[in-house]
Amino acid sequence: MAQTLLKVSGLKVAYGGIQAVKGVDFEVREGELVSLIGSNGAGKTTTMKAITGTLPINSGDIEYMGRSIKGRGPWDLVKEGLAMVPEGRGVFTRMSITENLMMGAYIRNDKAVIAEDIEKIFTIFPRLRERKDQLAGTMSGGEQQMLAMGRALMSRPKLLLLDEPSMGLSPIMVDKVFEVVRDVYAQGVTILLVEQNASRALALADRGYVMESGLINMSGAGRDLLSDPKVRAAYLGE
Ligand code: ATP
């Protein structure tokens, strides 16, 4: 069996007195695409933020490549190959597309290779090439999502965390985003995908976890969850 890349155990996170994540365990193995689904407010984004150190955790542990990363921040984790595309994208709005992509490579200083990688990103997202000098803040939601994914890929991650990449996008952009997720995974990047679009996320996933009210209440192979009547009733509108 492949090595465990990310292991979350007994994770609890609270906002003041409100317990948003109440003791969650899951793992992501090398080469897998794992989807975390669940309804609004289930605690998915909170879990992602806790992993990347943007939120402090109350108890539990997070291990990446066999070592605890508890208390480490996102900039530090990128150096270890753990990159995140946050919900809402978080692009640098006053910078151009090219400058945003360069920021994604801040941990590296091999200029020639960075230029090659920018070319690769432009091949994946031709729209970004067309607009490479445009300020990121003036782009559409879908374009900003592509940029955020491109920027994360510039760090050449081993593990990519994607928080709701399809949120708020038009159907064509949603297709494009899922196509890129599948391609990045096919290239060997391990992915943890948080999505409200449960059917698309489970269809792509090797394995999935279902989160509800701060707890994981189901897990299994992506296709098994997709055909599970309880999942279909609760998350696929059937
Ligand atoms: P969504 O899909 O709507 O983003 P989610 O599963 O990602 O949902 P979270 O954003 O993790 O859910 O929220 C989990 C719970 O924590 C919710 O009840 C939410 O209201 C609460 N919460 C999130 N952020 C904060 C905050 N900054 N302060 C207080 N409560 C918060």
Side-chain angles (χ1 to χ4, degrees), residues 25 35 60 95-96 130 177 209 226:
D25 301 280
S35 290
M95 288 186 182
S96 72
E130 284 165 24
V177 162
Y209 292 92
L226 194 55

Side-chain angles (χ1 to χ4, degrees), residues 43-237:
K44 307 181 298 296
T45 296
T46 304
T47 300
M48 292 294 240
K49 286 182 175 168
I51 294 170
T52 52
T54 45
L55 268 182
I57 73 178
N58 292 108
S59 60
D61 201 7
I62 299 162
E63 283 174 40
Y64 172 65
M65 294 201 295
R67 294 213 313 265
S68 177
I69 55 168
K70 208 161 59 166
R72 292 178 63 180
W75 291 72
D76 185 26
L77 294 172
V78 169
K79 290 188 205 143
E80 307 265 347
L82 196 166
M84 170 152 169
V85 179
E87 189 178 9
R89 291 116 206 184
V91 299
F92 301 109
T93 54
R94 290 164 179 271
M95 288 186 182
S96 72
I97 287 176
T98 307
E99 286 164 344
N100 265 275
L101 292 175
M102 303 277 294
M103 291 297 284
Y106 73 92
I107 52 166
R108 299 160 44 196
N109 50 20
D110 42 350
K111 287 209 166 58
V113 187
I114 291 172
E116 268 173 38
D117 282 3
I118 289 186
E119 265 313 300
K120 278 189 207 150
I121 302 296
F122 285 160
T123 309
I124 304 171
F125 301 110
R127 182 76 64 92
L128 296 184
R129 186 199 303 277
E130 284 165 24
R131 292 159 183 258
K132 62 184 171 38
D133 300 318
Q134 187 173 325
L135 290 185
T138 63
M139 302 203 304
S140 75
E143 289 162 354
Q144 289 191 22
Q145 184 62 51
M146 291 179 192
L147 179 57
M149 289 171 78
R151 189 183 57 187
L153 291 173
M154 285 298 293
S155 68
R156 297 198 170 180
K158 200 181 192 39
L159 173 63
L160 183 62
L161 269 47
L162 296 168
D163 194 0
E164 306 255 7
S166 79
M167 191 171 63
L169 303 186
S170 67
I172 290 174
M173 284 295 183
V174 171
D175 286 348
K176 176 73 187 172
V177 162
F178 279 106
E179 193 185 300
V180 170
V181 172
R182 200 186 52 220
D183 290 351
V184 169
Y185 163 63
Q187 283 164 27
V189 179
T190 305
I191 297 179
L192 175 61
L193 173 66
V194 159
E195 259 299 331
Q196 281 201 38
N197 191 331
S199 60
R200 300 287 290 263
L202 291 176
L204 276 186
D206 294 303
R207 291 185 306 111
Y209 292 92
V210 181
M211 199 165 176
E212 212 43 78
S213 305
L215 291 167
I216 285 173
N217 59 10
M218 282 179 88
S219 63
R223 75 181 89 80
D224 292 343
L225 288 175
L226 194 55
S227 58
D228 186 284
K230 286 199 289 291
V231 173
R232 298 197 74 82
Y235 306 102
L236 305 174

